[in-house]
Amino acid sequence: MARISLTVDGEKVADDVEPRMLLVQYLREKLGKTGTVIGCDTSNCGACTVHLDGTSVKSCNVLAVQADGSSVTTIEGLAQGGQLHPVQEAFRECHGLQCGFCTPGMIMQSVDLLKENPSPSEEEIRLGLEGNLCRCTGYHNIVRAVQYAAEHGGGASSAQDGP
Ligand code: FES
Ligand code: FES
């Protein structure tokens, strides 16, 4: 077992984990943060996307021990003070989800995308989300949601994100 300590959604946590444990497993199974979901477990779908020190990563592609000392933000840490993050609000407003399975990852990736590029073109949005798959194929409204978020202050990063 290996000892890790990190900050998750603003709270400091420390645990003994198996060195082979994935970050997504740690978040879901140890911390109960089931908002981060597993769609493929092979780094293809993006459903497990979280922010690691402020940058989006596929948490099925990161070992929990690699997150030692880092700050992780999940979809559950995005809303602050009972207020949806502007990107969450945009997905709700633009019906950017159908079954919702891809939505946590889509939103986490979109937040990172808008932080890097607050006014992306449609092509830049599609490129930025190419690592996130929607099995309901609702891409049109997802792109609209990111455009809406860009127009309504969605480029501001989560307060719990790292640098
Ligand atoms: Fe991580 Fe699909 S579950 S990319
Ligand atoms: Fe169903 Fe994207 S909304 S997978």
Side-chain angles (χ1 to χ4, degrees):
M1 299 291 263
R3 187 77 179 164
I4 60 170
S5 48
L6 60 159
T7 302
V8 179
D9 294 337
E11 286 184 25
K12 290 194 183 309
V13 292
D15 274 300
D16 292 319
V17 298
E18 287 194 40
R20 65 180 176 176
M21 179 176 248
L22 300 172
L23 178 58
V24 67
Q25 291 173 319
Y26 176 70
L27 294 171
R28 289 176 57 85
E29 295 168 19
K30 281 267 196 182
L31 302 185
K33 293 198 174 275
T34 52
T36 302
V37 296
I38 301 172
C40 67
D41 220 356
T42 53
S43 71
N44 284 301
C45 76
C48 64
T49 302
V50 300
H51 294 175
L52 184 62
D53 289 334
T55 300
S56 63
V57 296
K58 293 177 176 177
S59 60
C60 74
N61 206 25
V62 177
L63 295 168
V65 292
Q66 291 177 296
D68 182 35
S70 298
S71 175
V72 174
T73 303
T74 75
I75 189 72
E76 284 154 271
L78 212 53
Q80 297 280 312
Q83 293 282 319
L84 290 179
H85 186 282
V87 177
Q88 291 175 307
E89 186 61 41
F91 271 67
R92 190 188 68 78
E93 183 67 28
C94 299
H95 309 291
L97 62 145
Q98 292 176 50
C99 80
F101 196 84
C102 70
T103 311
M106 286 287 184
I107 289 177
M108 297 311 286
Q109 183 63 23
S110 299
V111 170
D112 193 30
L113 187 163
L114 289 172
K115 194 172 67 175
E116 295 298 317
N117 180 0
S119 301
S121 65
E122 178 177 342
E123 189 181 352
E124 287 169 334
I125 293 170
R126 290 184 183 275
L127 203 61
L129 294 179
E130 69 177 359
N132 291 69
L133 305 179
C134 175
R135 64 187 174 185
C136 299
T137 68
Y139 295 104
H140 180 71
N141 281 6
I142 290 170
V143 172
R144 276 195 56 227
V146 179
Q147 290 171 323
Y148 182 96
E151 291 159 9
H152 293 82
S157 70
S158 160
Q160 289 179 352
D161 269 353

